[in-house]
Amino acid sequence: DAGVIQSPRHEVTEMGQEVTLRCKPISGHNSLFWYRQTMMRGLELLIYFNNNVPIDDSGMPEDRFSAKMPNASFSTLKIQPSEPRDSAVYFCASSQDRGRISPLHFGNGTRLTVT
Amino acid sequence: SQQGEEDPQALSIQEGENATMNCSYKTSINNLQWYRQNSGRGLVHLILIRSNEREKHSGRLRVTLDTSKKSSSLLITASRAADTASYFCAFNTGNTGGFKTIFGAGTRLFVKA
């Protein structure tokens, strides 16, 4: 099992540019979560999907953020336009049952720096 | 804030000593989990305790849950230098309408060899 795979590992971009983060969940998991981690705010849940359908996006900070899950093996988080305050580590995680009984499995994250 | 509360924020101990971390939350929960994060890596699941359980063991880990006080603790016995990491509690809340797993702010543990 390859685990949750995120790409890229690091992204450096200039303010105003579009950023796309990618995630491949563990095969067979039906829930996918996007988290953001910063020193100031810790780990924040941005959005989660169940069976490819967005269930709760109340944590998405602004309309500049959007997430899609076109199929069970791929999800993207897009920021357009990016701002310096978006700099953080973005984690994707997957689970078998929305975390109700089964734990979340995390990828190694994408460290985003917006200058 | 989405977060639960954890204390201490940081803990420094000698190898061989026990480490205790505490977590509190405010809502009803389905389960409570503890995760570990090494620097520059993703979180790794350690142990899950359901809301109707009071104590659980896994190797050198012992977790307790007190739903009346809305609190949990993680005990690492006979700590090792390799246990140096950040530890997070996470609680799953919600019902069939939607579930969320919310993370605490974490405790940074440093084990001195």
Side-chain angles (χ1 to χ4, degrees):
Chain A
D1 186 347
V4 175
I5 299 173
Q6 291 187 246
S7 65
R9 283 283 279 142
H10 302 275
E11 177 80 41
V12 180
T13 191
E14 292 183 348
M15 183 174 67
Q17 296 298 307
E18 177 180 297
V19 175
T20 299
L21 312 180
R22 298 173 175 78
C23 175
K24 176 179 170 55
I26 292 174
S27 177
H29 283 189
N30 59 9
S31 300
L32 184 140
F33 307 79
W34 283 100
Y35 286 87
R36 178 171 69 176
Q37 186 177 38
T38 60
M39 288 294 292
M40 290 296 294
R41 299 177 67 86
L43 267 161
E44 300 173 280
L45 175 63
L46 300 178
I47 185 172
Y48 83 89
F49 296 82
N50 193 53
N51 293 323
N52 311 338
V53 176
I55 301 300
D56 187 336
D57 65 355
S58 59
M60 296 285 262
E62 304 171 29
D63 291 344
R64 298 184 296 106
F65 286 69
S66 62
K68 294 182 180 180
M69 193 164 185
N71 57 62
S73 59
F74 184 65
S75 176
T76 59
L77 178 67
K78 185 177 291 186
I79 308 172
Q80 166 64 20
S82 58
E83 297 183 1
R85 58 193 169 122
D86 301 331
S87 297
V89 181
Y90 291 81
F91 287 102
C92 174
S94 69
S95 168
Q96 289 181 316
D97 61 357
R98 294 179 281 181
R100 188 172 67 87
I101 298 176
S102 303
L104 274 59
H105 297 258
F106 281 78
N108 280 324
T110 294
R111 181 175 294 276
L112 173 65
T113 303
V114 183
T115 60
Chain B
S1 169
Q2 293 186 16
Q3 298 176 355
E5 301 288 328
E6 286 190 62
D7 76 270
Q9 288 187 323
L11 181 60
S12 181
I13 59 175
Q14 291 290 140
E15 205 167 30
E17 293 180 339
N18 296 340
T20 299
M21 290 160 264
N22 303 294
C23 169
S24 63
Y25 55 93
K26 298 178 181 178
T27 66
S28 60
I29 63 171
N30 300 307
N31 65 57
L32 189 139
Q33 306 166 44
W34 287 88
Y35 289 78
R36 166 189 169 133
Q37 184 180 33
N38 288 87
S39 180
R41 309 285 288 184
L43 282 75
V44 175
H45 177 257
L46 295 176
I47 193 166
L48 181 151
I49 185 166
R50 299 188 187 190
S51 60
N52 61 355
E53 297 177 311
R54 293 296 168 258
E55 187 170 315
K56 203 160 185 180
H57 297 254
S58 177
R60 294 184 296 113
L61 305 180
R62 172 177 169 255
V63 169
T64 61
L65 178 64
D66 186 336
T67 52
S68 66
K69 294 181 179 178
K70 290 186 166 55
S71 66
S72 173
S73 67
L74 171 69
L75 170 67
I76 303 174
T77 60
S79 64
R80 307 166 181 168
D83 293 331
T84 295
S86 292
Y87 292 83
F88 295 86
C89 72
F91 45 95
N92 183 267
T93 70
N95 52 40
T96 52
F99 296 93
K100 289 185 180 183
T101 298
I102 307 300
F103 284 80
T107 294
R108 292 171 62 187
L109 174 65
F110 181 67
V111 181
K112 294 176 279 187

